[in-house]
Amino acid sequence: MATFLYRLGRLAFRRRRVVVMLWVAVLAAIGIGAMSAPGTSSGALSVPGTQSQKAIDLLQKEFPQASADGATARVVFEAPSGQKLTSAANKAEVESLVAKLEKSPQVSGVSDPFSSGLVSKSGSIAYAQVSYKVAEADVSGAAHAVQTDVVQQGEKAGLKVSLGGNAVKDKAASKVAELIGVGVAAIVLVITFGSMIAAGLPLLTAILGVAAAVLSVTLATHFFDLDSSSTTLALMLGLAVAIDYALFIVSRYRNEIRDGHEPEEACGRAVGTAGSAVVFAGLTVIVALSGLSVIGIAALTSMGLASAFAVAVAVVIALTLLPALLGFAGMRIMKGKLHTRRMKALERGEGESMGVRWAKFVTRNPLKVLAVAVAGLAVLAIPAMSLQMALNDDSGKPPGSTQRIAYDTLSKGFGPGFNGPLTVVVDARDSDSPKVAAQDAYTMLSKLDDVAAVRPPSFNEAGDVALIGAVPKSAATSEATKDLVGEIRGHGTALHQDTGADLMVTGLTAVNIDVSTKLSDALVPYLAIVVGLALVLLLLVFRSIVIPLKAALGFLLSVVSTLGVLVAVFQWGWLKDLFGVDQTGPIVSLLPILLVGVVFGLAMDYEVFLVSRMREEYVHGAEPTQAIVLGFRHSGRVVTAAAVIMVSVFSGFLLDDAALIKSIGLGLATAVFLDAFVVRMTIVPAVMALLGHRSWTLPKWLDRVLPNVDVEGEKLRHALEAEPTDSAPEPVLAGVAAGVHAGSDGHGAPQSFTGVHTPDAPDTPAPAQRTPGKARGLSRFKQRLARGGDATAPADSTESEEPARRRLLKNPMRRS
């Protein structure tokens, strides 16, 4: 793979104008197609096969007028202080508003508060239930406009009117988080490279990649129904990984330039080595995100596949468009006017970087460091034992929003259970006495302790399916309501035995409970599938059994610790004021499984970036401990920058008012921080230092079976070393010892991809055979660097290749 990517990098560098024009054409074509796309939807969650979904399907057939899967809204009215809604003036105003709602587009029915008994005992609060003929995603703008008009008209009359339910349009999401993420990424990149050009390339390619991915997802809505959250997650992840991948390749490109290679050659080597790591890092993310489709929830499937596509686009752009842009940048990418004195000293080979000092500290004290790190994560994981999950409802909306006001007003007037009513369906088509069965169900519901009110049964036209409404005493997301649904379903067995009728519980609350249960049950199988597939990929990359197992176990430890932090903040209320959490409650059911999918992919990114460089040094002859230190010397700064960017992007979501977005932001930021700095940069080197050579061992039979994907570029190195050499000796770069190449920090390292003569080489070697007319420019380039002259190559200059070199790169195992 390294050899193929080497050729691809050089080709993109050489044909940079063609590559850029092709990407511009692709973006334009996708953009034109996306302009006419219907766009994503925000459909409600549904899980085929669950009892709540079966009941909805039955209601659609037997009660078509009820629009069982249609959107609903609750319009809540509150009288001015000291007044009642039952007064003549207030009652007339409410009835006028209800009449306006009945005339709204797409409405199938509106319950009048006064005739339906939907007025509180105090008489100051009432609500009207509005049912729509269409699903949540299809509620039109005209229908939303009527909702807004009702609120404004009621407030003019002195009433407090608020809206709740899934038919109410959410306030447009703020883009502050993305802007903060991009801003912090720019600062981190400038600090990392000390160059505006080097910092700008990752940002430019990331923005173009995200644009291509999001437009492609929008274009796909011509053919598929995709959830609106698909583009949000694709945008967030696509931006983060695209910056990381470009950062890794640009960093390696600059290292190769420092080693004395011409820009085109440096680009080929950077893409051949760092690009191989990017490919496999991207594959692990794609596997993890695509695995969300096995859960069986359409919204998660669309989110996972859209995000996986965004990551794939980021990989392709890093391997094609980025080398082309490096061709335009040329040697200007090395101009670091923003370097600090310390960075300049490190490039001169003076002192050691923080990453190197940390790696040496860990490898000197591996057991102590390992014990402290594991113990710290274990302490953070303790609260995860109390994890409770539920789907988000209007109680999680931002304070001051109309949905949150409606929720709180209903809870004050009727009790929290009125925000989560249950719909009980009695299917008596196989019963001898449907009315008796429905009455038995009604009696049973009336006797349950946690039921606040029960509405008498109503039958379909055939008289064999009954609908009963039940209002819990507890909030919709509480464990008490979850237990109540289970208790009602438990009584359904006895009802079937006595009457032959089936009892089912549905409604938004029951659907949410079923979805949460489905997600909880799917978490372990999903982990097994994703981790199993990723272990195979890492086995191919590192040709080691220990390293993939260590990577997976470290990831599990970081995820459990993150869940502990989420429980402590959002469920227990620790530091809730610091994070702006106004009330505690269960963790959103989607979050743990989404956290696993997203963070596993990102964690494997850091594993591949850091450990692949260690393996490269180990394969090239370094001792295990030395390979760890050299891996940190070359990749530690890049991984640190990538992790800081990720944490910043995700932390920006803490500024959102919604509890759901806050929990996602805190969860992803915490997971990335723990995995990058505690697991990958502390536990991983400590374990590898303890195991030594055993970290890289592989059973002989498995070694023969596994294909060698050559991520570390060993075949590429042999192919390049087999090239004909120049007739003139190649001077060593200033500040770099003979036989040693300058790394990312300017320190000496075992010779790798340098082409620099070793001390035992003769001073005036015999002239090498050359193909007539095929002069190489690398020697002259190094001589210019050694003399301190201008090393900047023309932006459009190309390097001719010898036929023998081409044959070697096509088949690196050939030797003359």
Side-chain angles (χ1 to χ4, degrees):
M1 174 177 286
T3 304
F4 167 76
L5 293 178
Y6 169 84
R7 297 205 309 270
L8 178 64
R10 289 186 59 125
L11 178 65
F13 187 100
R14 192 181 309 117
R15 306 295 183 191
R16 45 192 168 271
R17 287 189 174 84
V18 175
V19 173
V20 171
M21 289 174 64
L22 284 175
W23 271 109
V24 170
V26 168
L27 275 172
I30 297 173
I32 293 171
M35 290 174 63
S36 60
T40 56
S41 64
S42 55
L45 289 173
S46 64
V47 183
T50 59
Q51 187 184 104
S52 57
Q53 191 62 44
K54 290 178 181 177
I56 289 174
D57 296 339
L58 178 62
L59 290 177
Q60 287 176 333
K61 179 181 178 182
E62 301 295 336
F63 290 86
Q65 73 280 5
S67 302
D69 64 340
T72 59
R74 289 184 300 276
V75 183
V76 183
F77 308 99
E78 185 175 7
S81 179
Q83 298 183 26
K84 293 186 177 183
L85 291 174
T86 52
S87 67
N90 288 335
K91 184 177 181 180
E93 183 62 32
V94 170
E95 289 176 340
S96 171
L97 297 176
V98 169
K100 190 169 188 175
L101 288 168
E102 289 174 341
K103 297 176 183 178
S104 174
Q106 302 176 319
V107 167
S108 62
V110 180
S111 59
D112 182 87
F114 303 105
S115 61
S116 302
L118 302 179
V119 181
S120 65
K121 293 180 180 179
S122 64
S124 60
I125 296 173
Y127 73 95
Q129 187 79 11
V130 185
S131 300
Y132 289 84
K133 299 174 184 178
V134 297
E136 172 188 348
D138 300 321
V139 177
S140 66
H144 288 305
V146 172
Q147 295 173 0
T148 304
D149 290 343
V150 166
V151 172
Q152 293 175 348
Q153 181 179 329
E155 290 178 345
K156 286 180 181 178
L159 301 178
K160 296 179 182 178
V161 184
S162 52
L163 305 171
N166 61 357
V168 180
K169 190 175 182 180
D170 284 327
K171 185 180 178 182
S174 172
K175 299 299 181 184
V176 174
E178 289 86 345
L179 295 176
I180 290 176
V182 172
V184 173
I187 295 171
V188 172
L189 289 170
V190 169
I191 293 174
T192 302
F193 291 125
S195 163
M196 293 298 292
I197 295 178
L201 286 181
L203 284 176
L204 177 60
T205 55
I207 291 171
L208 293 174
V210 166
V214 172
L215 289 174
S216 298
V217 171
T218 305
L219 179 63
T221 59
H222 276 298
F223 315 100
F224 308 102
D225 184 20
L226 299 179
D227 192 87
S228 59
S229 53
S230 303
T231 53
T232 303
L233 189 61
L235 173 64
M236 183 171 62
L237 278 181
L239 182 66
V241 300
I243 292 174
D244 282 2
Y245 297 162
L247 168 66
F248 198 55
I249 291 177
V250 169
S251 177
R252 186 60 182 258
Y253 172 75
R254 284 160 58 91
N255 289 348
E256 297 295 342
I257 290 287
R258 291 192 189 101
D259 287 343
H261 299 115
E262 287 194 74
E264 183 179 328
E265 177 70 11
C267 182
R269 291 174 183 248
V271 175
T273 51
S276 298
V278 164
V279 168
F280 279 92
L283 280 176
T284 57
V285 184
I286 291 169
V287 165
L289 293 172
S290 300
L292 290 171
S293 59
V294 306
I295 296 170
I297 298 177
L300 274 179
T301 299
S302 62
M303 289 168 64
L305 294 180
S307 302
F309 178 76
V311 173
V313 170
V315 172
V316 174
I317 278 189
L319 300 178
T320 56
L321 180 60
L322 179 61
L325 295 178
L326 289 174
F328 287 109
M331 287 295 295
R332 291 190 296 275
I333 201 170
M334 300 301 294
K335 294 179 180 179
K337 295 181 179 180
L338 302 177
H339 277 313
T340 63
R341 264 186 289 180
R342 175 171 175 75
M343 292 172 67
K344 292 178 181 178
L346 289 174
E347 289 193 354
R348 291 194 303 267
E350 301 170 4
E352 293 179 335
S353 68
M354 186 179 297
V356 171
R357 293 201 302 270
W358 174 250
K360 289 182 177 180
F361 171 77
V362 172
T363 53
R364 283 197 304 266
N365 309 279
L367 198 56
K368 295 178 181 177
V369 170
L370 180 63
V372 171
V374 171
L377 292 179
V379 170
L380 289 177
I382 291 175
M385 299 173 65
S386 303
L387 176 66
Q388 296 177 358
M389 293 191 294
L391 279 182
N392 199 35
D393 61 4
D394 285 349
S395 64
K397 298 295 183 182
S401 64
T402 186
Q403 295 100 323
R404 180 63 177 275
I405 294 172
Y407 183 94
D408 293 340
T409 304
L410 274 181
S411 297
K412 180 175 68 173
F414 298 92
F418 267 76
N419 286 291
L422 303 176
T423 301
V424 180
V425 180
V426 180
D427 182 6
R429 290 175 295 178
D430 296 329
S431 174
D432 296 333
S433 181
K435 290 187 178 181
V436 172
Q439 187 60 39
D440 288 350
Y442 175 78
T443 304
M444 177 269 295
L445 291 170
S446 302
K447 294 179 179 179
L448 296 179
D449 293 336
D450 200 37
V451 173
V454 183
R455 189 180 66 224
S458 57
F459 288 88
N460 62 340
E461 291 183 3
D464 54 6
V465 177
L467 204 59
I468 305 174
V471 177
K473 291 180 181 178
S474 306
T477 58
S478 67
E479 283 294 309
T481 299
K482 183 178 179 180
D483 294 339
L484 175 62
V485 171
E487 186 179 0
I488 295 173
R489 287 172 173 172
H491 284 294
T493 304
L495 182 69
H496 180 75
Q497 292 174 350
D498 295 340
T499 65
D502 292 324
L503 182 146
M504 295 177 286
V505 184
T506 187
L508 184 59
T509 300
V511 169
N512 287 349
I513 290 172
D514 287 345
V515 171
S516 297
T517 302
K518 177 78 171 178
L519 291 170
S520 300
D521 294 342
L523 185 58
V524 174
Y526 172 67
L527 266 175
I529 292 172
V530 170
V531 172
L533 290 174
L535 284 176
V536 173
L537 281 175
L538 293 177
L539 186 65
L540 289 172
V541 173
F542 297 120
R543 304 189 70 78
S544 163
I545 292 179
V546 172
I547 288 177
L549 289 175
K550 167 187 57 61
L553 292 174
F555 156 74
L556 293 175
L557 190 57
S558 62
V559 164
V560 175
S561 302
T562 302
L563 290 177
V565 172
L566 289 174
V567 169
V569 174
F570 290 94
Q571 198 172 303
W572 292 358
W574 293 5
L575 302 177
K576 67 176 185 177
D577 293 335
L578 177 64
F579 295 106
V581 179
D582 64 298
Q583 69 176 22
T584 59
I587 303 301
V588 180
S589 303
L590 289 173
L591 183 55
I593 205 158
L594 192 62
L595 191 71
V596 168
V598 173
V599 177
F600 182 81
L602 299 180
M604 295 306 105
D605 271 6
Y606 302 137
E607 180 78 13
V608 171
F609 289 166
L610 192 60
V611 181
S612 64
R613 192 61 192 250
M614 296 179 188
R615 174 169 172 76
E616 183 179 327
E617 300 294 345
Y618 180 79
V619 168
H620 294 165
E623 290 298 314
T625 301
Q626 185 186 16
I628 294 171
V629 175
L630 291 175
F632 268 81
R633 172 172 293 161
H634 295 295
S635 299
R637 187 181 184 87
V638 177
V639 172
T640 299
V644 170
I645 290 171
M646 287 280 192
V647 172
S648 302
V649 169
F650 296 142
S651 296
F653 289 91
L654 286 169
L655 300 177
D656 199 286
D657 293 329
L660 172 62
I661 305 300
K662 282 182 182 289
S663 62
I664 291 175
L666 179 62
L668 292 176
T670 302
V672 170
F673 177 83
L674 294 177
D675 199 274
F677 296 109
V678 181
V679 175
R680 307 301 150 195
M681 302 188 75
T682 303
I683 293 179
V684 166
V687 172
M688 293 178 67
L690 289 171
L691 294 176
H693 289 284
R694 287 171 293 181
S695 297
W696 308 104
T697 56
L698 190 67
K700 292 183 179 179
W701 65 268
L702 188 57
D703 187 44
R704 290 192 297 269
V705 172
L706 289 179
N708 188 355
V709 294
D710 191 31
V711 174
E712 68 280 351
E714 183 68 6
K715 291 180 182 178
L716 174 62
R717 185 173 70 92
H718 287 313
L720 295 174
E721 286 177 349
E723 296 176 18
T725 56
D726 291 305
S727 59
E730 295 180 356
V732 177
L733 294 178
V736 182
V740 178
H741 75 281
S744 60
D745 298 321
H747 305 301
Q751 181 176 343
S752 170
F753 298 166
T754 60
V756 180
H757 291 287
T758 52
D760 56 350
D763 292 335
T764 55
Q769 297 294 326
R770 292 190 180 193
T771 305
K774 299 286 185 179
R776 296 173 66 232
L778 182 58
S779 177
R780 291 192 298 274
F781 179 74
K782 288 184 177 180
Q783 289 170 3
R784 288 200 305 272
L785 285 177
R787 290 195 303 266
D790 183 15
T792 304
D796 294 331
S797 66
T798 59
E799 180 186 351
S800 301
E801 294 179 326
E802 302 174 13
R805 172 195 182 97
R806 291 175 180 167
R807 289 195 298 272
L808 281 167
L809 290 177
K810 288 180 181 178
N811 184 2
M813 301 308 293
R814 281 181 73 175
R815 296 288 179 267
S816 56

